[in-house]
Amino acid sequence: MTLQLCVMAPDQVVWDGPIEQAILPTTTGQMGVLQGHTPLVTALDIGVMMARTTTGWEAVVLMGGFGLVKDDRITLLVNEAELGSSVEPEQATTDFEEAKTTLADATTRKERVEANLAFKRARARYQAVTQA
Amino acid sequence: MSFAAKHLSAARSNALAGSSHVCAPRRAPVNSRTSRGDQQVVCESLKDLRDRIGSIKNTKKITDAMKLVAAAKVRRAQTAVQNGRPFSENLVKVMYGVNQRLRVEDVDIPLTEARPVKSVLLVCCTGDRGLCGGFNNAVIKATEDRKAELEGMGIRCKVLTVGKKGSTYFGKRVGDDDLVAAMDMGQAPTTKEAQAVADQVFAEFVSEEVDKVELIFTKFVSLISSKPILQSLLPLSPAGEVCDVEGNCLDANEDELFRLTTVDGKMAVERDEVITETAEFDASLLFEQDPVQILDALLPLYLNSQVLRSLQESLASELAARMQAMNNASDNAKELGKKVSGKYQRQRQAKITTELIELTAGAGSV
């Protein structure tokens, strides 16, 4: 009763191993994947992926990308990925608060686009430490 | 490295200046054909020569060390590129599949939006340090040429520099409004750096500050050859990718959009691999979202990996150029050392001979 999960960032493979279940942050909401899932392609939002291994749930921060599910193999290609266990809780919290104020203060269109991206990333890291 | 570089320039000026200011009046007329060694010998004393030999030897040690350091780093840069391969291969695979379905549809997403070009963002990738031959100059010159060309057509140019050398150059010459950002190349570009560049580019383009983004970086051809190339980054053309996967993308102004491979001339091999893999893409695959939405998620990813690859390639070229430059410097130092020590030996022998003659003459006259 296992799935193979492979999380790839442009410069490294972040996760390559068996899991029991995964919850992916797709752009249209969270999606659970179990063994025997129908093959599909999905876009991933900036958010937290939860993976259930034999020992428990693990959080992985994903910075947007897409996922491919096929033959009990989940391949996620993301801009950037970080294991939840390697995120520092205090740092994530302060970053999140900072990003929130930056977004609120943004005035020009360019600033808003940038601040929004930064906010989403900070929120994902924050969620990873609070959920885990 | 900067320590070594400082010593190098000090040693270099020692070695090359030598005692030339003392000899200046008797120096042979400056001729581009005569080598530096020939110009300075006329009145150098034995001690001057000994000093010069010493400093040439030291310079050679430093250039040798820098060469080795660069060689080690080239290897690391190549590994970094190789680590990124599984990612880009998979990316192309999925992109190919998505594109097949989108071929007929009219795609409208921000990154592919082609607008009438009124302003262009030039992303210039140089190195952080010098002592690497003409590497930085070549990129800067290519950027300047392109800038002049565009401005000649009445298009406004903005510049984003990556690498200290380019930042210093354009920092002085481009107004604050037109210099979008100046970043450092760093020792090993990672996704974080690429992301920072891609974010800037993305924000500039999506907010319609610029209508086109072009990337100027040095393509890594081989360890002894690399050339600055111009690649348009945005707007991405969804048709362009398919074209490239099939290996027959012909662009009008030699600009290499959507290249698949990276280093050490393995282009053909890589491309073949990609083609076999794309053939496996399952047509029965379910699309969780609208294909357009998936493409929307895919293209920023593609943008990032393009930027990352350009940075990596630029760094690999810089290191290779430095390796080459240092190799030449070591060779020159070796040759110069040989010449100067030859002169030293001759002069020493001449001195001994003169002394002997004087002694025998003196003994004879007693």
Side-chain angles (χ1 to χ4, degrees), chain A residues 59-77:
Chain A
V60 184
V61 188
L62 305 179
M63 299 305 183
F66 69 92
L68 189 69
V69 182
K70 200 185 160 191
D71 301 336
D72 287 337
R73 223 189 132 74
I74 310 176
T75 312
L76 304 182
L77 298 183

Side-chain angles (χ1 to χ4, degrees), chain B residues 53-114:
Chain B
I53 293 170
S55 77
I56 289 168
K57 271 189 187 154
N58 281 338
T59 311
K60 187 172 175 295
K61 271 183 209 159
I62 294 166
T63 52
D64 272 342
M66 284 178 80
K67 184 188 146 194
L68 289 180
V69 170
K73 282 185 181 168
V74 167
R75 218 160 298 147
R76 215 168 59 195
Q78 280 174 338
T79 330
V81 174
Q82 271 157 12
N83 286 346
R85 273 196 189 144
F87 180 86
S88 41
E89 273 166 21
N90 270 297
L91 187 59
V92 169
K93 194 161 80 177
V94 179
M95 197 117 97
Y96 180 80
V98 176
N99 259 307
Q100 289 218 309
R101 303 214 178 169
L102 283 180
R103 257 182 182 169
V104 282
E105 288 177 51
D106 193 17
V107 193
D108 182 30
I109 55 172
L111 285 182
T112 57
E113 188 192 347

Side-chain angles (χ1 to χ4, degrees), chain A residues 8-12 26-28 31 38-43 64-66 68-70 75 77-80 109-110 113-114 117 121, chain B residues 83-84 86-87 90-91 94 190-192 195 199-200 202-204 206-207 280 282 285-289 293-294 297-298 301 304 308:
Chain A
M8 287 189 264
D11 55 349
Q12 59 177 345
T26 74
T27 48
T28 42
M31 182 184 79
T38 180
L40 71 81
V41 182
T42 176
F66 69 92
L68 189 69
V69 182
K70 200 185 160 191
T75 312
L77 298 183
V78 288
N79 277 316
E80 221 181 296
R109 197 167 162 191
K110 187 187 163 189
V113 174
E114 273 179 334
L117 273 179
R121 287 200 191 109
Chain B
N83 286 346
F87 180 86
N90 270 297
L91 187 59
V94 179
T190 58
T191 16
K192 284 226 166 64
Q195 184 86 58
D199 279 358
Q200 287 280 352
F202 183 79
E204 284 283 325
V206 172
S207 62
E280 291 165 16
D282 193 353
L285 220 56
L286 199 79
F287 281 61
E288 175 74 10
Q289 293 91 2
Q293 220 175 338
I294 291 180
L298 223 71
L301 211 59
N304 283 4
L308 180 68

Side-chain angles (χ1 to χ4, degrees), chain A residues 5-92:
Chain A
L5 172 69
C6 186
V7 182
M8 287 189 264
D11 55 349
Q12 59 177 345
V13 176
V14 179
W15 183 312
D16 193 2
I19 55 161
E20 305 283 319
Q21 178 189 356
I23 298 175
L24 309 175
T26 74
T27 48
T28 42
Q30 295 203 319
M31 182 184 79
V33 181
L34 285 167
Q35 200 195 19
H37 200 288
T38 180
L40 71 81
V41 182
T42 176
L44 298 173
D45 205 357
I46 297 175
V48 184
M49 180 198 75
M50 300 300 289
R52 186 160 62 86
T53 60
T54 42
T55 51
W57 287 95
E58 292 255 12
V60 184
V61 188
L62 305 179
M63 299 305 183
F66 69 92
L68 189 69
V69 182
K70 200 185 160 191
D71 301 336
D72 287 337
R73 223 189 132 74
I74 310 176
T75 312
L76 304 182
L77 298 183
V78 288
N79 277 316
E80 221 181 296
E82 204 175 344
L83 292 177
S85 49
S86 65
V87 179
E88 281 188 35
E90 294 94 39
Q91 185 66 37

